[in-house]
Amino acid sequence: MATPPDVLPAPSSPPAPPAPRRGGTTTAAADATTPDASAATARIVPRRRTGQWISAAVALLLFAMAVNSLVHNRAFQWDVVADWFTAASVMNGLTLTLWLTAVTLGLGFVLGTVLATMRLSSNPVLRTLSWIYIWIFRSTPALVQLLLFFNIGALYPTLGLGIPFGPEFVTVRTVNLFGPTFTAVVGLTLLEAAYAAEVVRGGILSVDRGQLEAAAALGLGRWRVLRRIVVPQAMRSIVPTAGNMLIGALKGTSIISVLAVSDLLYSVQLVYLQSYQVIPMLMVATLWYVVITTVLSVGQYYVERHFAKGATREGLPPTPLERARAGYRRLRAAAAAAAPGEAAPGEAAPEKAATGEEAR
């Protein structure tokens, strides 16, 4: 039987808030211990990566052991290394090494660009000839090539310029032409050209073909398309590999010591063959190679950043120098905040919180 509405119980009203205590405080302070409040104020604890810390400690221990062995091992004779590090003979050999590196890599990239253009040509003869050149020079060791060019007089006693199957206008004896330095320049240039051709070809192929079609649809000339579209985008792929080639060419010049060319390694060898100080003189050459390759690596980093502009929407990451400056500014701000009676820059001095008694 249904109950009439006039006799239904009245809806219960919400409980009244507790009466305030003396001093202006209430029992509502206990609400801070409710699950919602505790979840909101919970501190996030990062995951402990014990394996990473152990591996880092082991790596630092091994590094410290290596440094200790380098410093305290008297066989290195660091005093002899310091005496010969800037000697005139060593500096002359270093100058020749740098000159050979610049000349061979520069000429190698010029010839390599021509070979890459031939590989990308629609002419089958040019493509085949370029492929044969790259195949031969990449398949034979650099030392073998240098020795062949140095002994080219056994194959061709004379070299002439004239009409094929006819008279020769200019004739030169190869013994007088191919000296040690010229042989090193020719051999290393031809070798670097084979690798540079593949580097340039890969950079050109990395450019999206749709952009070339769009440029052709806009009526842009071939030279402008090459200068404004192809080269800037291809350099992003070319520069890292070209930087590795530059460092490899610098170290690869050491093989010309077999031809008695006075590069850095041969100059050092002449010294230790007379003084029998093999280890310290080899350390002189090693340190110079490390210094030069480090400078080249830094230059490669900034060249890559230059050609990477606009490659990502987020922008380029900060350089190590910019990170160091930001870290220094953070240290200064932390030191200023920790100083007594001073506030960190951009922060107001904290105000004294009002207590219940002061409010009352």
Side-chain angles (χ1 to χ4, degrees):
M1 177 174 178
T3 306
D6 55 341
V7 295
L8 287 174
S12 58
S13 59
R21 294 183 180 179
R22 237 179 124 181
T25 61
T26 65
T27 57
D31 294 340
T33 60
T34 60
D36 295 339
S38 61
T41 59
R43 185 169 62 93
I44 300 176
V45 179
R47 180 183 178 184
R48 296 177 180 176
R49 303 181 182 273
T50 309
Q52 292 185 0
W53 286 105
I54 293 176
S55 60
V58 172
L60 288 177
L61 177 61
L62 295 176
F63 178 75
M65 293 173 61
V67 172
N68 180 68
S69 67
L70 290 175
V71 174
H72 293 93
N73 192 343
R74 296 182 179 180
F76 285 104
Q77 302 181 29
W78 294 112
D79 54 341
V80 179
V81 174
D83 294 337
W84 284 97
F85 191 71
T86 55
S89 59
V90 175
M91 298 305 295
N92 292 334
L94 177 64
T95 303
L96 181 59
T97 296
L98 296 177
W99 178 81
L100 276 175
T101 303
V103 170
T104 56
L105 197 67
L107 295 177
F109 261 94
V110 172
L111 181 57
T113 304
V114 176
L115 292 171
T117 306
M118 294 171 61
R119 284 291 305 273
L120 298 173
S121 174
S122 58
N123 191 324
V125 176
L126 297 180
R127 289 201 311 268
T128 304
L129 292 177
S130 176
W131 181 86
I132 291 175
Y133 177 93
I134 296 172
W135 168 61
I136 291 176
F137 280 91
R138 289 202 309 173
S139 302
T140 54
L143 182 58
V144 175
Q145 295 177 24
L146 289 177
L147 293 177
L148 283 175
F149 282 113
F150 190 69
N151 296 281
I152 197 173
L155 295 174
Y156 301 99
T158 59
L159 294 177
L161 180 63
I163 301 175
F165 306 104
E168 294 182 351
F169 304 112
V170 179
T171 303
V172 180
R173 295 186 61 187
T174 53
V175 176
N176 301 329
L177 180 62
F178 280 82
T181 304
F182 185 74
T183 301
V185 171
V186 172
L188 294 178
T189 298
L190 296 178
L191 177 65
E192 296 296 333
Y195 291 99
E198 292 299 287
V199 172
V200 174
R201 186 175 69 92
I204 295 176
L205 292 178
S206 66
V207 180
D208 188 11
R209 309 303 299 177
Q211 301 190 28
L212 303 181
E213 296 174 358
L218 292 175
L220 300 179
R222 297 182 61 181
W223 172 248
R224 191 173 183 182
V225 171
L226 180 67
R227 184 168 54 93
R228 292 290 186 178
I229 298 177
V230 177
V231 172
Q233 297 186 60
M235 290 299 290
R236 298 174 188 170
S237 302
I238 293 175
V239 169
T241 312
N244 293 334
M245 285 186 57
L246 176 60
I247 295 175
L250 173 68
K251 297 184 295 183
T253 55
S254 60
I255 65 174
I256 66 175
S257 60
V258 300
L259 306 179
V261 180
S262 299
D263 68 321
L264 177 59
L265 181 59
Y266 189 74
S267 301
V268 166
Q269 287 176 336
L270 290 179
V271 174
Y272 74 64
L273 287 176
Q274 298 176 1
S275 62
Y276 299 102
Q277 295 172 332
V278 179
I279 298 300
M281 296 310 301
L282 289 178
M283 291 304 300
V284 170
T286 301
L287 291 177
W288 270 120
Y289 281 121
V290 169
V291 170
I292 301 302
T293 53
T294 302
V295 174
L296 294 178
S297 299
V298 173
Q300 175 187 348
Y301 172 77
Y302 283 99
V303 173
E304 289 181 11
R305 284 180 58 89
H306 173 74
F307 286 103
K309 293 179 179 179
T312 58
R313 297 182 179 179
E314 296 79 11
L316 299 176
T319 63
L321 183 59
E322 293 172 349
R323 293 193 186 100
R325 289 176 178 174
Y328 176 70
R329 288 194 294 266
R330 287 194 297 267
L331 289 177
R332 288 191 58 185
E342 297 182 4
E347 295 182 1
E351 300 180 356
K352 186 181 293 184
T355 62
E357 293 293 335
E358 292 172 346
R360 188 159 59 95

